[in-house]
Amino acid sequence: MIDALTHLDFPSFDRDRAGIVARARASGVTGWVIAGTDPAAWARTLAVARETGGFPALGVHPWWAPRVDLDTAIADLEARRPQAIGEIGLDRLKPGWERQQKAFRAQLAVARGLNCPVILHVVRAWADVRAILRRDGLPAAGGMVHGWTGPPAAVPEAEALGLMVSFGRGLLRPGRSLESSPRVSLDRLLVETDGEPAGLVAVVRALAVRRGVEVGEIERVTAANALRLFACRG
Ligand SMILES: [Zn+2]
């Protein structure tokens, strides 16, 4: 299994990172994406990815966007030529809407230039993200919406734009994630914990039950999709 979104670089994991990696491997999780959030921590994101065997992404998360010097961050991002860009996106529940949009569009442009996949954080902002992607365009390498909480009817729109759709612990309770999960095509389905990778077992199980398929099929398909998305480099 591959965990399509974690933040194992966060200092809160410093105390037990080796234990987290050991538990992940013991649970059958063989890979994890570590998504950046804050330019000040990008070096740490890369170091933890190297140390744990994770796949790094660098980005200015919409929660950080209002506090970051965007020009400096974009220059830094271009210089680092990351393998993936994220988390980037829009969050209606957080402040700094104008700056969130600026940061999102500028980073999308870098991703198109590098042709690397993007990891999108979208909260109550699907229509806004959709409009920007339609106007500006996604990199040919594609991307994923992490922790999908959009309406089920928006799943085909995301797929038509070229996105994969990732589900996390939202599947463990009733709600939009659970309702949306059967609508995603098998070749666009991803799973994530946004936390400890060993927790992926419960997410995969919930997804298999909801879709009425074997756990092994979800494991295989989501791992293959993650490898395809993140190996892609033009
Ligand atoms: Zn996020």
Side-chain angles (χ1 to χ4, degrees):
M1 285 173 277
I2 295 181
D3 190 336
L5 188 111
T6 75
H7 295 292
L8 288 187
D9 57 332
F10 281 2
S12 55
F13 293 116
D14 282 352
R15 207 168 37 86
D16 190 30
R17 199 170 281 111
I20 286 167
V21 168
R23 286 194 291 279
R25 296 203 182 283
S27 307
V29 183
T30 54
W32 38 86
V33 175
I34 305 176
T37 54
D38 173 5
W42 285 347
R44 193 180 64 208
T45 307
L46 295 170
V48 170
R50 267 195 307 276
E51 170 196 324
T52 63
F55 183 95
L58 300 181
V60 180
H61 189 290
W63 297 1
W64 275 262
R67 295 176 251 157
V68 161
D69 182 299
L70 188 58
D71 291 341
T72 307
I74 292 299
D76 191 5
L77 196 59
E78 281 174 332
R80 289 179 184 274
R81 302 184 62 83
Q83 294 170 269
I85 292 187
E87 290 182 41
I88 63 174
L90 298 174
D91 191 327
R92 283 271 184 196
L93 301 183
K94 295 288 174 176
W97 183 245
E98 291 293 319
R99 298 192 59 152
Q100 285 191 34
Q101 285 184 302
K102 263 202 182 121
F104 178 38
R105 296 185 69 187
Q107 292 180 95
L108 260 183
V110 175
R112 283 195 306 275
L114 296 173
N115 193 28
C116 68
V118 290
I119 300 170
L120 304 183
H121 170 107
V122 186
V123 173
R124 306 270 176 97
W126 172 249
D128 309 278
V129 167
R130 182 185 60 199
I132 287 172
L133 291 177
R134 282 180 180 163
R135 189 172 52 212
D136 294 1
L138 198 66
M144 60 177 265
V145 181
H146 105 81
W148 178 270
T149 52
V155 166
E157 297 173 352
E159 293 195 349
L161 283 163
L163 290 164
M164 293 194 186
V165 180
S166 180
F167 294 98
R169 287 172 296 185
L171 291 181
L172 306 181
R173 54 184 179 270
R176 278 178 161 189
S177 286
L178 202 57
E179 288 165 35
S180 297
S181 61
R183 303 196 60 164
V184 179
S185 309
L186 268 184
D187 64 348
R188 293 190 177 269
L189 202 53
L190 296 169
V191 284
E192 66 178 64
T193 60
D194 207 352
E196 258 212 63
L200 204 60
V201 174
V203 173
V204 165
R205 195 185 303 125
L207 189 53
V209 167
R210 186 70 180 82
R211 292 181 65 111
V213 299
E214 296 292 325
V215 166
E217 184 180 358
I218 297 294
E219 290 179 357
R220 270 193 309 281
V221 159
T222 55
N225 292 341
L227 288 173
R228 202 167 72 248
L229 180 62
F230 292 111
C232 188
R233 191 77 201 260

